[in-house]
Amino acid sequence: MTISASSIEIYDTTLRDGSQAEDVSFSVEDKVRIAQRLDELGVHYIEGGWPGANPKDIEFFRILKSLPLKRARIVAFGSTRKAKNTAESDPTLEALLSAETEIVTIFGKSWTLHVTEALETTLEKNVELVGDSIAFLKNHGRRVFYDAEHFFDGYKTDPAYALKTLQAAVAAGAERIILCDTNGGTMPWEVQEIFPKVKACCSVPLGIHAHNDSEMGVANSLVAVRAGAIQVQGTINGIGERCGNANLCSIMANLELKMGYEALEDGRLNNLRNISHFVAEMANLTPNKRQPYVGDTAFAHKGGVHIHAVQEKSR
Ligand SMILES: [Zn+2]
């Protein structure tokens, strides 16, 4: 797949991050059907699940091997190795390999607080974990994308350290570095300020993975694209844990209609409403009729001044 300068890589994580939403549960069959519809829609990457954490996801990757997709690349997701294991003896990395996908995305820590308190390891050791987990996957023939978890909080606390973790990922062979606003608390002007600084010291293309806790998921994703991101991660209808992920329906529409980028090939944007309703149905959620671009009332006019003006214009 070639991505031209004016196209943005769409990385869908409905099946992984989206399925973390507290009222959403997809069966393996649901996941396969959603993957096929996302492929028809024309997204570039589909994050299928976390084989190290969820046995259902192992089954999903197995089924997908016999049902090749036409356009999208299927991606397995997981974490860097545990501090106590070597890469070779780490069950999470082993499970990632067993998904047998061309591409894997692993996440690691760039926030000093999380390294010392959640991983209970040293800052130097964490940099090592990032580098040698990626190197291990590369040595096993995988293409690797690196999700820098809580990146913006990490950068605000200690920019030099946050960048050091990214440089370790680049040196080990990551093809994309994705800056994650994992708790959704970053404001668009902060993304605008931080993104170019990262871009200046990262030799591989960047992506954005935003959550919606401050209702800035879409805004932060679009600002990141303006600041140089070539990949946007999100979910259909913005489903995801807490307040959800960045909503890919609005992102793809805005990229194409407001910003002049190509998100989906060959005018496939026309299928947004279908995929939005399909995923809502699979998730047992009522479609939001007020959802921008895809909701039933998104383009409805109730009459009055606006409808009068439209009628006048069409005469
Ligand atoms: Zn996420």
Side-chain angles (χ1 to χ4, degrees), residues 13 16-18 20 47 77 147 149 180-183 209-211 233 241-242 244-245:
T13 180
R16 202 276 305 169
D17 230 359
Q20 308 271 324
E47 192 170 79
F77 176 86
D147 274 7
E149 199 191 19
C180 302
D181 185 27
T182 309
N183 61 17
H209 175 113
H211 278 260
Q233 302 194 349
E241 63 183 333
R242 304 186 313 278
N245 285 60

Side-chain angles (χ1 to χ4, degrees), residues 15-26:
L15 300 179
R16 202 276 305 169
D17 230 359
S19 72
Q20 308 271 324
E22 57 178 15
D23 46 1
V24 170
S25 172
F26 296 129

